[in-house]
Amino acid sequence: MNMRKIAIGLLAFALVAPSIASVSLKDKKEKKPKTEKKAKVDNKTKANKASSSNSPRKVQTINDVEAAILGIEKIVSHTLVEVEPIVQQICESQQTKKSVCPRIYVGAANAFWLKSGVSDTTYALKYIDRAIELDPHYGPAYMLKGDIYKWADDTTVAVNYYKKAIEMAPNDFRTYRKYAKFIGSGLDKVTARAFAGDTEAQEEVRKRRAEMEAVYKTAKDANPTFPYELECARLYISLSLTTNETQKGIQFFEAADQDSLNADDYAQRCNMMYQFIIDAPNGNVKLNRYGSIVNVLDSALMKFPTDYYILANGLDYLNRAYTLVKRKNGEALAEYKNKFSTKALEYGERLMATKDTMINNKDIYRYGIALMNRYKQQQGIDVLQELMARPDIDDNTVSDAMNAICEAYRDLGEYEKAENAYEELIKTLDAKGSLQAGHYQNYAMMLESQAQESFGQQMIDTYLKAAKVYERGAEKFPENAPRFYYFAWEICKNDVLDPEKTNELAIGPAKKAYDILKNRDTYEGEDATIMNSVCYCLLDYYFNKKKDYPAAKQYVYKYYQLVKGTQYEESFAGILRRRYKMKI
């Protein structure tokens, strides 16, 4: 009789037979025999265990055996009775005088363990042992037994069964992968500690990674067609602790059969390569490595022309590559600008055309930037304005989009629109409480760029607007006030303004910066530069230009303190002694 009919018939019988369905699941669980792995194996629930990736029922065709296994799974999962005799009958019906079928017993074992609702390992182990009895060389039986003992936290026994599975089925790639996965279980937490600097965790990661590599090497030795390099490359994606280890992972990817790479492999390979761009010592090295990433992305695009990760990663990396050379001059760099911007837009348009549900706000933002980088500023502005209207947009993306829109208006020469856009950005973000000092700085820098491209009174007015924006930023963000007043001072002392008024214009922001910093005993870094500059400006203005010696005294004395220990110390000490009768 066709086994598909047997399975369906038995399932129907089990579901409708009222005389035997009165036994509750609770009763069934209480009557369940103890497993050889004690209470821990008995009590864990199915919810705590995902189905094994090496599950024997994962096959390409549906035949009588598979139909029978599906029937067993439904019987075990849907009935509230003792169904083992029925399952036993189905399994025995698959055995003939000419052949035995251990597969049906492994399928039944898997059903009792993962489909029963109570993780019945007693019957699972019984049916696995029956499969081994029928065929001692049937690898999936040992593999499933290893899975059960792994789940029960009996790792020693689990390892023995995984090794036995490999011994019995040396050409079954699944056994090696399952064993390697077992070795790497729980490594994510160990790796997190390793990246945090825990040396013991680092040793553990390297030890277990080496063990997994050894398993894959054994597989390669047993069967030369095993993708050893690719499997090792995938290990290094998450288990590289140093740049040298990341490089080793990249080398494994390069050595792997390129036809065997899937889309995620290409994406992860590019991610690993990008780490070397972050750490690159100079722009030329970064540029060459971006070129390598582009080559990998182009190869991936040939195989996976609509894959989200390939297109999204390509758009991101190519935009970054363009940003690297955007402000640089030279014929060679002009070629790179054209190459990167053209390809970025190609990836962006392909990505948007897929209408993939995974496309997110960052992707749309990057697409808008790609348009602007290809001199399609108005199209880019339209994309980013639509993006900012989305209800799920976050403040950082709004800020980035607005900055890009302002820059696009500037590129178009529409400075009034750019100013209005910045003012709207500041107003919007301030109301949300997410305004940052950098928004004022970007706004002022845009105005400075506008001034540099202007002439006459328009240039002067625009420079002064930039200075006022810096002063507004200083008032809004006191922690940034010294540097913002310093930037405003630098603009005001620019000789392209009215030379007769330059000093007077610069005195205001200089005094504000000085007053903030004057009471400090020591100055370092940026603060030292600011204090030296503004203090000398004030000293020169009041002492040399205005001859207002009383007003100049505090600046002369402060500057003397700043230059102590240098060649200028004695000069200012002399001024303090002669002019101010100070005993220095």
Side-chain angles (χ1 to χ4, degrees), residues 42-61:
D42 293 324
N43 294 333
K44 282 192 176 181
T45 63
K46 180 177 66 174
N48 292 332
K49 179 67 180 181
S51 179
S52 168
S53 62
N54 194 35
S55 172
R57 66 174 179 273
K58 289 187 178 179
V59 294
Q60 297 299 317
T61 61

Side-chain angles (χ1 to χ4, degrees), residues 61-173:
T61 61
I62 298 295
N63 53 30
D64 287 345
V65 174
E66 302 310 318
I69 290 173
L70 289 173
I72 290 172
E73 289 179 352
K74 291 180 179 179
I75 293 170
V76 170
S77 63
H78 286 88
T79 59
L80 305 178
V81 299
E82 181 56 68
V83 297
E84 199 268 338
I86 301 174
V87 174
Q88 180 66 32
Q89 181 182 350
I90 296 174
C91 291
E92 289 176 355
S93 68
Q94 289 293 314
Q95 316 308 316
T96 68
K97 291 182 179 180
K98 293 183 179 180
S99 65
V100 295
C101 183
R103 169 77 181 97
I104 189 74
Y105 283 98
V106 170
N110 198 61
F112 278 114
W113 180 35
L114 295 178
K115 298 292 184 178
S116 64
V118 291
S119 301
D120 193 333
T121 55
T122 299
Y123 281 136
L125 293 169
K126 172 184 175 180
Y127 277 79
I128 290 173
D129 289 339
R130 177 58 178 152
I132 293 172
E133 181 182 337
L134 288 172
D135 184 357
H137 297 280
Y138 190 61
Y142 299 102
M143 186 60 63
L144 183 57
K145 204 165 186 179
D147 287 346
I148 291 174
Y149 281 103
K150 171 192 171 185
W151 173 67
D153 294 331
D154 196 333
T155 56
T156 301
V157 176
V159 167
N160 291 335
Y161 281 117
Y162 285 134
K163 290 182 176 179
K164 188 70 173 178
I166 291 174
E167 179 185 345
M168 293 297 101
N171 290 322
D172 189 343
F173 294 171

Side-chain angles (χ1 to χ4, degrees), residues 361 364-369 371-372 376-394 397-409 412 414 416-418 420-422 424-425:
N361 291 338
I364 298 172
Y365 167 75
R366 290 166 183 150
Y367 173 52
I369 297 300
L371 285 165
M372 293 174 177
K376 298 183 178 182
Q377 279 86 357
Q378 190 57 58
Q379 289 177 251
I381 289 170
D382 293 342
V383 167
L384 296 185
Q385 286 179 334
E386 289 180 13
L387 170 64
M388 290 189 294
R390 291 166 67 100
D392 60 340
I393 192 75
D394 64 272
T397 305
V398 169
S399 174
D400 292 341
M402 284 298 299
N403 282 332
I405 288 173
C406 296
E407 186 170 343
Y409 279 132
L412 291 170
E414 299 182 13
E416 184 177 351
K417 289 184 178 180
N420 292 338
Y422 266 118
E424 184 63 28
L425 170 65

Side-chain angles (χ1 to χ4, degrees), residues 3 51 86 88 150 203 242 267 301 332 356 441 450 581:
M3 285 310 303
S51 179
I86 301 174
Q88 180 66 32
K150 171 192 171 185
E203 292 178 5
T242 65
L301 199 61
D356 197 300
Q441 184 166 346
Q450 178 185 348
K581 310 303 180 184

Side-chain angles (χ1 to χ4, degrees), residues 250-269:
I250 294 172
Q251 290 170 352
F252 272 124
F253 268 124
E254 291 171 348
D257 177 9
Q258 298 302 298
D259 290 338
S260 66
L261 269 63
N262 59 36
D264 186 61
D265 290 326
Y266 281 105
Q268 295 292 355
R269 179 179 176 184

